[in-house]
Amino acid sequence: MDILIKEIPFEEALSLKCAFKREHLKLRKTRKTVWLGAYYKGRLAGVCAFRRTKYGVKCKSDLVLEEFRGLGLYHRLFEKRLEHVLTLETDRVYAYCNRNSRPIYEKYGFTQKGRRKRYTCMEWKQP
């Protein structure tokens, strides 16, 4: 399969702004956020991001364009992000998930810590 996952600038992620709006998700440029892009056959098909906060490392802005879902892009993005996050030597990783992303967080050992509007707060702690 022709999938490439790489670090990208926010401006490149911004090209998916309309897709974020359709999914009722937020796409914001925040300081020190690392963006990862998933390319399928040379086209940006999805993004995810993470950043260190005073509470740990926050995973954010997960999105794969609808026409590319079911190809394993999200799993590859998620794994690549987790790989990066684990190099940051943090004892807490958290995210606010919607119903689409929650199952993969659970698969990787994240547990529910609360709810916030339409989102579920998921957290993973180093053993």
Side-chain angles (χ1 to χ4, degrees), residues 16 73 120:
L16 302 182
L73 293 170
T120 302

Side-chain angles (χ1 to χ4, degrees), residues 8 16 33 37 44 56 66 76 78 90 107-108:
I8 62 171
L16 302 182
T33 297
L44 183 61
E66 200 169 344
R76 297 271 301 273
F78 191 94
T90 184
K107 177 183 174 185
Y108 282 89

Side-chain angles (χ1 to χ4, degrees), residues 3-16 20 27 32-39 43-51 57-64 73-88:
I3 297 173
L4 172 66
I5 309 291
K6 67 178 186 175
E7 197 170 317
I8 62 171
F10 173 75
E11 290 70 27
E12 211 162 319
L14 198 54
S15 69
L16 302 182
F20 271 85
L27 181 64
K32 298 187 180 183
T33 297
V34 177
W35 291 87
L36 299 174
Y39 291 83
R43 182 172 169 213
L44 183 61
V47 296
C48 70
F50 64 93
R51 69 183 178 100
V57 176
K58 181 179 182 181
C59 297
K60 54 183 270 145
S61 302
D62 302 7
L63 177 88
V64 171
L73 293 170
Y74 186 62
H75 285 281
R76 297 271 301 273
L77 269 171
F78 191 94
E79 289 171 353
K80 191 66 164 178
R81 175 175 56 194
L82 201 53
E83 202 177 282
H84 281 278
V85 166
L86 293 177
T87 67
L88 298 176

